[in-house]
mmCIF file of all heavy atoms in Angstrom:
data_model
loop_
_atom_site.group_PDB
_atom_site.id
_atom_site.type_symbol
_atom_site.label_atom_id
_atom_site.label_comp_id
_atom_site.label_asym_id
_atom_site.label_seq_id
_atom_site.Cartn_x
_atom_site.Cartn_y
_atom_site.Cartn_z
ATOM 1 N N MET A 1 -1.612 13.255 10.647
ATOM 2 C CA MET A 1 -0.793 14.503 10.895
ATOM 3 C C MET A 1 0.537 14.431 10.204
ATOM 4 O O MET A 1 1.005 15.482 9.844
ATOM 5 C CB MET A 1 -0.642 14.627 12.409
ATOM 6 C CG MET A 1 0.210 13.512 13.064
ATOM 7 S SD MET A 1 0.477 13.624 14.889
ATOM 8 C CE MET A 1 1.408 15.049 15.023
ATOM 9 N N TYR A 2 1.029 13.242 9.933
ATOM 10 C CA TYR A 2 2.450 13.196 9.374
ATOM 11 C C TYR A 2 2.406 13.540 7.846
ATOM 12 O O TYR A 2 3.426 13.963 7.331
ATOM 13 C CB TYR A 2 2.936 11.862 9.582
ATOM 14 C CG TYR A 2 3.209 11.588 11.077
ATOM 15 C CD1 TYR A 2 2.457 10.558 11.722
ATOM 16 C CD2 TYR A 2 4.098 12.321 11.850
ATOM 17 C CE1 TYR A 2 2.599 10.352 13.168
ATOM 18 C CE2 TYR A 2 4.155 12.109 13.243
ATOM 19 C CZ TYR A 2 3.497 11.114 13.845
ATOM 20 O OH TYR A 2 3.487 10.956 15.213
ATOM 21 N N ILE A 3 1.306 13.421 7.213
ATOM 22 C CA ILE A 3 1.160 13.865 5.789
ATOM 23 C C ILE A 3 1.204 15.300 5.790
ATOM 24 O O ILE A 3 2.039 15.886 4.975
ATOM 25 C CB ILE A 3 -0.192 13.412 5.233
ATOM 26 C CG1 ILE A 3 -0.389 11.883 5.183
ATOM 27 C CG2 ILE A 3 -0.284 13.876 3.795
ATOM 28 C CD1 ILE A 3 -1.726 11.313 4.836
ATOM 29 N N TYR A 4 0.586 15.994 6.651
ATOM 30 C CA TYR A 4 0.601 17.502 6.681
ATOM 31 C C TYR A 4 1.987 18.007 7.016
ATOM 32 O O TYR A 4 2.451 19.005 6.457
ATOM 33 C CB TYR A 4 -0.339 18.042 7.752
ATOM 34 C CG TYR A 4 -0.549 19.549 7.842
ATOM 35 C CD1 TYR A 4 -1.385 20.295 7.045
ATOM 36 C CD2 TYR A 4 0.288 20.203 8.705
ATOM 37 C CE1 TYR A 4 -1.501 21.685 7.247
ATOM 38 C CE2 TYR A 4 0.258 21.639 8.852
ATOM 39 C CZ TYR A 4 -0.627 22.271 8.063
ATOM 40 O OH TYR A 4 -0.798 23.650 8.190
ATOM 41 N N MET A 5 2.665 17.311 7.932
ATOM 42 C CA MET A 5 3.978 17.742 8.382
ATOM 43 C C MET A 5 5.155 17.432 7.398
ATOM 44 O O MET A 5 6.327 17.707 7.637
ATOM 45 C CB MET A 5 4.238 17.129 9.819
ATOM 46 C CG MET A 5 3.322 17.638 10.865
ATOM 47 S SD MET A 5 3.339 16.707 12.406
ATOM 48 C CE MET A 5 5.037 17.076 13.018
ATOM 49 N N GLY A 6 4.778 16.700 6.351
ATOM 50 C CA GLY A 6 5.759 16.390 5.348
ATOM 51 C C GLY A 6 6.573 15.153 5.612
ATOM 52 O O GLY A 6 7.588 14.884 4.912
ATOM 53 N N HIS A 7 6.305 14.399 6.658
ATOM 54 C CA HIS A 7 7.052 13.245 7.047
ATOM 55 C C HIS A 7 6.680 12.020 6.184
ATOM 56 O O HIS A 7 7.449 11.043 6.012
ATOM 57 C CB HIS A 7 6.886 12.923 8.507
ATOM 58 C CG HIS A 7 7.293 13.923 9.456
ATOM 59 N ND1 HIS A 7 7.022 13.830 10.839
ATOM 60 C CD2 HIS A 7 7.926 15.072 9.291
ATOM 61 C CE1 HIS A 7 7.495 14.934 11.472
ATOM 62 N NE2 HIS A 7 8.074 15.735 10.548
ATOM 63 N N MET A 8 5.479 12.063 5.612
ATOM 64 C CA MET A 8 4.962 11.007 4.836
ATOM 65 C C MET A 8 4.095 11.512 3.730
ATOM 66 O O MET A 8 3.595 12.667 3.790
ATOM 67 C CB MET A 8 4.082 10.030 5.644
ATOM 68 C CG MET A 8 4.741 9.462 6.899
ATOM 69 S SD MET A 8 3.655 8.370 7.903
ATOM 70 C CE MET A 8 3.665 6.931 6.943
ATOM 71 N N LYS A 9 3.930 10.727 2.695
ATOM 72 C CA LYS A 9 2.953 10.969 1.648
ATOM 73 C C LYS A 9 1.737 10.041 1.867
ATOM 74 O O LYS A 9 1.907 9.073 2.564
ATOM 75 C CB LYS A 9 3.581 10.849 0.297
ATOM 76 C CG LYS A 9 4.687 11.803 -0.058
ATOM 77 C CD LYS A 9 5.225 11.550 -1.461
ATOM 78 C CE LYS A 9 6.263 12.500 -1.834
ATOM 79 N NZ LYS A 9 6.850 12.330 -3.190
ATOM 80 N N TYR A 10 0.583 10.360 1.234
ATOM 81 C CA TYR A 10 -0.532 9.621 1.397
ATOM 82 C C TYR A 10 -0.241 8.141 1.071
ATOM 83 O O TYR A 10 -0.673 7.234 1.830
ATOM 84 C CB TYR A 10 -1.680 10.173 0.537
ATOM 85 C CG TYR A 10 -2.811 9.201 0.310
ATOM 86 C CD1 TYR A 10 -3.610 8.770 1.435
ATOM 87 C CD2 TYR A 10 -3.049 8.617 -0.930
ATOM 88 C CE1 TYR A 10 -4.683 7.893 1.200
ATOM 89 C CE2 TYR A 10 -4.130 7.675 -1.085
ATOM 90 C CZ TYR A 10 -4.882 7.337 -0.066
ATOM 91 O OH TYR A 10 -5.938 6.415 -0.146
ATOM 92 N N GLU A 11 0.491 7.923 -0.057
ATOM 93 C CA GLU A 11 0.718 6.522 -0.408
ATOM 94 C C GLU A 11 1.458 5.766 0.634
ATOM 95 O O GLU A 11 1.453 4.508 0.712
ATOM 96 C CB GLU A 11 1.380 6.424 -1.780
ATOM 97 C CG GLU A 11 2.642 7.249 -1.867
ATOM 98 C CD GLU A 11 2.349 8.635 -2.522
ATOM 99 O OE1 GLU A 11 1.280 9.181 -2.312
ATOM 100 O OE2 GLU A 11 3.286 9.176 -3.202
ATOM 101 N N HIS A 12 2.235 6.483 1.479
ATOM 102 C CA HIS A 12 3.061 5.828 2.511
ATOM 103 C C HIS A 12 2.180 5.357 3.677
ATOM 104 O O HIS A 12 2.548 4.476 4.437
ATOM 105 C CB HIS A 12 4.138 6.749 3.020
ATOM 106 C CG HIS A 12 5.076 7.204 1.998
ATOM 107 N ND1 HIS A 12 5.806 8.430 2.067
ATOM 108 C CD2 HIS A 12 5.511 6.645 0.816
ATOM 109 C CE1 HIS A 12 6.499 8.668 1.026
ATOM 110 N NE2 HIS A 12 6.357 7.559 0.243
ATOM 111 N N THR A 13 1.021 5.838 3.785
ATOM 112 C CA THR A 13 0.048 5.527 4.894
ATOM 113 C C THR A 13 -0.727 4.367 4.541
ATOM 114 O O THR A 13 -1.570 3.943 5.437
ATOM 115 C CB THR A 13 -0.722 6.700 5.248
ATOM 116 O OG1 THR A 13 -1.759 7.010 4.218
ATOM 117 C CG2 THR A 13 0.066 8.008 5.393
ATOM 118 N N LYS A 14 -0.731 3.818 3.343
ATOM 119 C CA LYS A 14 -1.455 2.614 3.039
ATOM 120 C C LYS A 14 -0.740 1.311 3.391
ATOM 121 O O LYS A 14 0.279 1.026 2.813
ATOM 122 C CB LYS A 14 -1.740 2.589 1.574
ATOM 123 C CG LYS A 14 -2.715 3.724 1.057
ATOM 124 C CD LYS A 14 -3.170 3.587 -0.375
ATOM 125 C CE LYS A 14 -2.040 3.920 -1.367
ATOM 126 N NZ LYS A 14 -2.556 3.916 -2.755
ATOM 127 N N PRO A 15 -1.266 0.560 4.363
ATOM 128 C CA PRO A 15 -0.569 -0.702 4.894
ATOM 129 C C PRO A 15 -0.372 -1.757 3.828
ATOM 130 O O PRO A 15 0.370 -2.613 3.947
ATOM 131 C CB PRO A 15 -1.417 -1.061 6.041
ATOM 132 C CG PRO A 15 -2.179 0.117 6.490
ATOM 133 C CD PRO A 15 -2.445 0.906 5.221
ATOM 134 N N TYR A 16 -1.337 -1.667 2.740
ATOM 135 C CA TYR A 16 -1.337 -2.684 1.793
ATOM 136 C C TYR A 16 -1.133 -2.130 0.401
ATOM 137 O O TYR A 16 -1.609 -1.004 0.107
ATOM 138 C CB TYR A 16 -2.548 -3.525 1.825
ATOM 139 C CG TYR A 16 -2.872 -4.099 3.206
ATOM 140 C CD1 TYR A 16 -3.802 -3.530 4.158
ATOM 141 C CD2 TYR A 16 -2.136 -5.232 3.656
ATOM 142 C CE1 TYR A 16 -3.973 -3.988 5.307
ATOM 143 C CE2 TYR A 16 -2.395 -5.754 4.990
ATOM 144 C CZ TYR A 16 -3.349 -5.032 5.819
ATOM 145 O OH TYR A 16 -3.552 -5.493 7.033
ATOM 146 N N GLU A 17 -0.481 -2.820 -0.456
ATOM 147 C CA GLU A 17 -0.255 -2.356 -1.850
ATOM 148 C C GLU A 17 -1.723 -2.436 -2.568
ATOM 149 O O GLU A 17 -2.532 -3.211 -2.168
ATOM 150 C CB GLU A 17 0.655 -3.408 -2.673
ATOM 151 C CG GLU A 17 2.046 -3.321 -2.083
ATOM 152 C CD GLU A 17 2.822 -2.066 -2.383
ATOM 153 O OE1 GLU A 17 2.364 -1.271 -3.182
ATOM 154 O OE2 GLU A 17 3.885 -1.889 -1.762
ATOM 155 N N ASP A 18 -1.825 -1.651 -3.539
ATOM 156 C CA ASP A 18 -3.167 -1.562 -4.217
ATOM 157 C C ASP A 18 -3.601 -2.739 -4.859
ATOM 158 O O ASP A 18 -4.776 -3.076 -4.948
ATOM 159 C CB ASP A 18 -3.077 -0.444 -5.238
ATOM 160 C CG ASP A 18 -2.955 0.979 -4.720
ATOM 161 O OD1 ASP A 18 -3.008 1.194 -3.430
ATOM 162 O OD2 ASP A 18 -2.686 1.883 -5.484
ATOM 163 N N TRP A 19 -2.694 -3.706 -5.204
ATOM 164 C CA TRP A 19 -3.041 -4.966 -5.772
ATOM 165 C C TRP A 19 -3.542 -5.993 -4.744
ATOM 166 O O TRP A 19 -4.168 -6.971 -5.046
ATOM 167 C CB TRP A 19 -1.818 -5.616 -6.559
ATOM 168 C CG TRP A 19 -0.505 -5.680 -5.793
ATOM 169 C CD1 TRP A 19 0.510 -4.920 -5.937
ATOM 170 C CD2 TRP A 19 -0.215 -6.659 -4.711
ATOM 171 N NE1 TRP A 19 1.513 -5.223 -5.029
ATOM 172 C CE2 TRP A 19 1.139 -6.325 -4.279
ATOM 173 C CE3 TRP A 19 -0.865 -7.705 -4.116
ATOM 174 C CZ2 TRP A 19 1.840 -7.112 -3.277
ATOM 175 C CZ3 TRP A 19 -0.191 -8.360 -3.120
ATOM 176 C CH2 TRP A 19 1.084 -8.045 -2.665
ATOM 177 N N PHE A 20 -3.375 -5.680 -3.478
ATOM 178 C CA PHE A 20 -3.736 -6.559 -2.438
ATOM 179 C C PHE A 20 -5.164 -6.964 -2.452
ATOM 180 O O PHE A 20 -5.635 -8.067 -2.194
ATOM 181 C CB PHE A 20 -3.398 -5.921 -1.038
ATOM 182 C CG PHE A 20 -3.862 -6.703 0.149
ATOM 183 C CD1 PHE A 20 -3.063 -7.684 0.723
ATOM 184 C CD2 PHE A 20 -5.079 -6.436 0.700
ATOM 185 C CE1 PHE A 20 -3.503 -8.356 1.825
ATOM 186 C CE2 PHE A 20 -5.579 -7.099 1.887
ATOM 187 C CZ PHE A 20 -4.715 -8.085 2.402
ATOM 188 N N TRP A 21 -6.022 -5.958 -2.711
ATOM 189 C CA TRP A 21 -7.457 -6.104 -2.671
ATOM 190 C C TRP A 21 -8.097 -7.055 -3.713
ATOM 191 O O TRP A 21 -8.828 -7.915 -3.468
ATOM 192 C CB TRP A 21 -8.147 -4.744 -2.701
ATOM 193 C CG TRP A 21 -7.515 -3.720 -1.684
ATOM 194 C CD1 TRP A 21 -6.614 -2.803 -1.976
ATOM 195 C CD2 TRP A 21 -7.640 -3.816 -0.275
ATOM 196 N NE1 TRP A 21 -6.135 -2.211 -0.806
ATOM 197 C CE2 TRP A 21 -6.775 -2.845 0.254
ATOM 198 C CE3 TRP A 21 -8.332 -4.649 0.573
ATOM 199 C CZ2 TRP A 21 -6.688 -2.605 1.622
ATOM 200 C CZ3 TRP A 21 -8.262 -4.428 1.995
ATOM 201 C CH2 TRP A 21 -7.366 -3.443 2.461
ATOM 202 N N LYS A 22 -7.506 -6.853 -4.924
ATOM 203 C CA LYS A 22 -7.941 -7.744 -6.004
ATOM 204 C C LYS A 22 -7.517 -9.150 -5.881
ATOM 205 O O LYS A 22 -8.183 -10.093 -5.996
ATOM 206 C CB LYS A 22 -7.449 -7.200 -7.421
ATOM 207 C CG LYS A 22 -7.968 -7.999 -8.566
ATOM 208 C CD LYS A 22 -7.577 -7.350 -9.823
ATOM 209 C CE LYS A 22 -8.065 -8.104 -11.069
ATOM 210 N NZ LYS A 22 -7.686 -7.490 -12.356
ATOM 211 N N LYS A 23 -6.236 -9.276 -5.368
ATOM 212 C CA LYS A 23 -5.658 -10.503 -5.144
ATOM 213 C C LYS A 23 -6.451 -11.307 -4.017
ATOM 214 O O LYS A 23 -6.652 -12.566 -4.210
ATOM 215 C CB LYS A 23 -4.184 -10.470 -4.689
ATOM 216 C CG LYS A 23 -3.492 -11.782 -4.396
ATOM 217 C CD LYS A 23 -2.047 -11.582 -3.977
ATOM 218 C CE LYS A 23 -1.462 -12.942 -3.631
ATOM 219 N NZ LYS A 23 0.004 -12.863 -3.184
ATOM 220 N N ASN A 24 -6.918 -10.617 -3.069
ATOM 221 C CA ASN A 24 -7.619 -11.280 -1.955
ATOM 222 C C ASN A 24 -9.149 -11.159 -2.241
ATOM 223 O O ASN A 24 -9.951 -11.451 -1.252
ATOM 224 C CB ASN A 24 -7.245 -10.653 -0.603
ATOM 225 C CG ASN A 24 -5.886 -11.000 -0.152
ATOM 226 O OD1 ASN A 24 -5.667 -12.105 0.357
ATOM 227 N ND2 ASN A 24 -4.954 -10.143 -0.454
#
């Protein structure tokens, strides 16, 4: 809901950085 309301962007809702998955 907060993406739609302008409080956050999609990238702000990702708990882990994109590099996290490859590293792990």
Side-chain angles (χ1 to χ4, degrees):
M1 65 183 292
Y2 300 112
I3 301 175
Y4 181 92
M5 295 168 69
H7 298 174
M8 306 176 78
K9 295 181 179 179
Y10 164 67
E11 52 266 31
H12 300 152
T13 69
K14 294 189 287 186
Y16 306 100
E17 298 289 348
D18 293 351
W19 50 258
F20 173 88
W21 310 104
K22 184 176 181 180
K23 179 181 178 181
N24 287 278

